[in-house]
């Protein structure tokens, strides 16, 4: 009878251990306040802002699911603040915040702080990643947002040609002098006539 009770207790303890193990693979804790924004920026290998498009869970059909299982998210990158990113960048985080994973929502915009590793870029709950409503207009010290400048408006060169036309002349200089002289003679004769006494 005593042997049966001991075996039952061992089975109970084993079952509880298995159940507790499947619920969470580890605990996530942090000391407040956390690192400053500049520190998080300096520690990250890639910082970008974009919209979460979709997630890939390689353990969807697994019989055992852990909060530390990796989830890969694909983002539509709108602005690169640090490092080099592709137009659709993938970043991996763990499944649950219980294991310091970050919970993304499809269609929402985020500023993602990621570190480079053997399997690609990873981020987490305390990496600095956060949801944003619009693209940042100011960046962390030392960061240079990568933006594509718009194409300049087409310009058309217009050349204006101004032609100087010569002034029209009424005759040669000699003819002009003769005409002026004759005019003076006629004027003098007219004045002389007006001065003669009337008989």
């Amino acid at each position: 009878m005593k042997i049966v009770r001991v075996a039952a207790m061992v089975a109970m303890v084993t079952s509880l251990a298995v159940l507790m193990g499947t619920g969470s693979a580890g605990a996530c804790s942090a000391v407040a306040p956390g690192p400053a924004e500049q520190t998080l920026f300096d520690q990250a290998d890639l910082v970008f802002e974009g919209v979460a498009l979709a997630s890939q869970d390689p353990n969807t059909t697994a019989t055992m699911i852990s909060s530390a299982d990796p989830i890969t998210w694909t983002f539509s990158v709108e602005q690169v603040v640090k490092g080099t990113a592709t137009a659709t960048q993938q970043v991996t985080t763990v499944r649950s915040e219980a294991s310091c994973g970050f919970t993304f929502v499809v269609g929402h915009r985020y500023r993602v702080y990621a570190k480079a590793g053997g399997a690609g870029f990873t981020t987490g709950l305390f990496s600095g990643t956060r949801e944003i409503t619009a693209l940042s207009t100011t960046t962390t010290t030392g960061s240079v947002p990568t933006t594509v400048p718009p194409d300049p408006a087409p310009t058309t060169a217009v050349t204006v040609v101004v032609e100087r036309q010569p002034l029209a002349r009424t005759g040669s200089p000699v003819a002009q002098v003769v005409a002026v002289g004759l005019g003076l003679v006629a004027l003098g004769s007219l004045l002389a006539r007006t001065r003669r006494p009337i008989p």
Side-chain angles (χ1 to χ4, degrees):
M1 190 70 175
K2 186 178 291 187
I3 297 176
V4 175
R5 290 180 180 178
V6 172
M9 291 182 64
V10 171
M12 185 182 301
V13 172
T14 303
S15 300
L16 289 174
V18 171
L19 290 174
M20 293 177 62
T22 58
S24 175
C28 179
S29 61
V31 178
E37 178 78 9
Q38 184 63 49
T39 301
L40 295 171
F41 179 85
D42 293 339
Q43 292 174 349
D45 297 308
L46 174 64
V47 180
F48 68 88
E49 295 179 356
V51 177
L53 298 180
S55 63
Q56 297 177 351
D57 184 356
N59 298 301
T60 302
T61 59
T63 56
M64 300 286 288
I65 296 177
S66 170
S67 63
D69 288 339
I71 305 291
T72 300
W73 281 86
T74 301
F75 294 86
S76 174
V77 177
E78 297 175 322
Q79 178 173 278
V80 178
V81 184
K82 179 182 180 181
T84 303
T86 58
T88 52
Q89 181 65 49
Q90 290 189 331
V91 177
T92 300
T93 185
V94 298
R95 180 188 303 278
S96 173
E97 293 183 0
S99 294
C100 294
F102 193 92
T103 303
F104 294 102
V105 178
V106 173
H108 289 210
R109 180 180 284 110
Y110 298 89
R111 183 179 176 104
V112 179
Y113 289 69
K115 291 186 178 182
F121 290 101
T122 60
T123 189
L125 187 61
F126 301 111
S127 65
T129 297
R130 63 183 182 274
E131 184 175 356
I132 58 176
T133 56
L135 295 181
S136 301
T137 56
T138 57
T139 58
T140 308
T141 304
S143 60
V144 180
T146 300
T147 56
V148 179
D151 294 333
T155 56
T156 303
V158 178
T159 304
V160 179
V161 179
V162 178
E163 296 183 357
R164 294 185 178 180
Q165 299 293 338
L167 298 176
R169 295 181 179 180
T170 56
S172 64
V174 176
Q176 290 178 355
V177 172
V178 172
V180 171
L182 291 175
L184 292 175
V185 171
L187 179 61
S189 176
L190 180 61
L191 291 175
R193 289 180 183 180
T194 57
R195 291 179 181 179
R196 290 179 182 179
I198 296 175

